[in-house]
Amino acid sequence: GAVVSQHPSRVICKSGTSVKIECRSLDFQATTMFWYRQFPKQSLMLMATSNEGSKATYEQGVEKDKFLINHASLTLSTLTVTSAHPEDSSFYICSASQGIQYFGAGTRLSVL
Amino acid sequence: GEDVEQSLFLSVREGDSSVINCTYTDSSSTYLYWYKQEPGAGLQLLTYIFSNMDMKQDQRLTVLLNKKDKHLSLRIADTQTGDSAIYFCAESISSSNTGKLIFGQGTTLQVKP
């Protein structure tokens, strides 16, 4: 149980385009989902906390207009990187919480 | 503020035991976790321990918690090459009602055949 699906696993896009990443809890309902960013050989940096039906709470220094988060249902949250630039290239990981956080497999974003 | 510290690297021989250590600062933390991350993958929950426990064992994994010293350890018995990965320690933030976690920097475990 407690499976979290993240899609796509890898995306390459041109600078200036927007990219949407989906995070789904497959076998449980998650009132809270989290979005993280991970730089090479570093730990996870929490970007935002997403609650179903309400606005996401962003961590200090994370641009909410740049990283749009939508949590429309108890099993789906999306992260949209708007007007992506090469500095947005990174590994993005979501988690869904059922008291305990379960993680997706991550999305490798490369912006050319 | 809350902080979690781990050593960055551990190398062991196959068949030996591995012990990964972690210190944390939030004494009111309810749960402490160990996650495993293989290259290019997400985090896999290995085990967790409730703050009122001293020890938890699950097959080859043993977690020890010393609340007085705010020290957490993960022991992997009979370490295998497939255990090579990055191991993250994480504590739940007592001041958060959403289950936010603070992660350590991760310990890279290298298992030599």
Side-chain angles (χ1 to χ4, degrees):
Chain A
V3 177
V4 177
S5 171
Q6 188 172 341
H7 178 81
S9 58
R10 178 158 192 154
V11 58
I12 301 172
C13 69
K14 292 183 179 179
S15 188
T17 60
S18 294
V19 174
K20 181 185 283 189
I21 302 169
E22 291 188 348
C23 182
R24 293 180 185 271
S25 55
L26 297 186
D27 49 4
F28 67 98
Q29 293 184 328
T31 52
T32 305
M33 290 186 174
F34 300 87
W35 288 95
Y36 296 85
R37 184 171 178 176
Q38 187 178 32
F39 293 99
K41 300 190 186 303
Q42 292 190 26
S43 189
L44 281 74
M45 181 190 81
L46 179 65
M47 298 174 67
T49 303
S50 166
N51 290 292
E52 186 265 338
S54 62
K55 289 184 180 179
T57 302
Y58 290 81
E59 294 298 301
Q60 194 170 9
V62 178
E63 299 176 59
K64 61 180 181 182
D65 295 330
K66 173 77 169 173
F67 300 100
L68 299 179
I69 291 172
N70 183 276
H71 194 158
S73 76
L74 287 172
T75 59
L76 174 64
S77 177
T78 60
L79 168 68
T80 301
V81 183
T82 62
S83 187
H85 288 95
E87 58 265 29
D88 298 324
S89 298
S90 193
F91 192 57
Y92 294 87
I93 311 177
C94 73
S95 72
S97 179
Q98 194 186 31
I100 293 170
Q101 287 190 38
Y102 295 93
F103 285 79
T107 297
R108 172 76 56 194
L109 171 63
S110 299
V111 185
L112 304 178
Chain B
E2 301 92 355
D3 193 22
V4 177
E5 297 279 339
Q6 296 178 241
S7 53
L8 296 181
F9 186 78
L10 175 66
S11 180
V12 300
R13 292 225 170 265
E14 191 173 21
D16 289 348
S17 292
S18 307
V19 179
I20 302 171
N21 295 299
C22 168
T23 57
Y24 61 96
T25 57
D26 187 350
S27 58
S28 299
S29 191
T30 310
Y31 287 96
L32 295 126
Y33 302 85
W34 285 104
Y35 287 90
K36 176 184 179 183
Q37 185 179 35
E38 297 186 15
L43 272 67
Q44 173 195 353
L45 177 65
L46 284 179
T47 187
Y48 61 93
I49 188 166
F50 190 52
S51 59
N52 68 353
M53 298 168 66
D54 298 324
M55 186 190 85
K56 181 179 180 181
Q57 186 163 3
D58 183 3
Q59 300 183 334
R60 292 191 299 123
L61 305 178
T62 302
V63 178
L64 294 178
L65 175 59
N66 181 328
K67 280 198 73 174
K68 175 175 169 289
D69 295 337
K70 297 191 197 119
H71 182 268
L72 183 74
S73 68
L74 174 69
R75 179 177 180 269
I76 306 173
D78 187 25
T79 313
Q80 303 297 307
T81 55
D83 295 324
S84 293
I86 302 175
Y87 290 80
F88 289 97
C89 166
E91 64 167 345
S92 59
I93 302 172
S94 58
S95 59
S96 166
N97 61 1
T98 58
K100 280 172 67 171
L101 298 178
I102 295 290
F103 286 85
Q105 312 95 302
T107 299
T108 297
L109 175 63
Q110 178 189 66
V111 182
K112 296 179 180 177

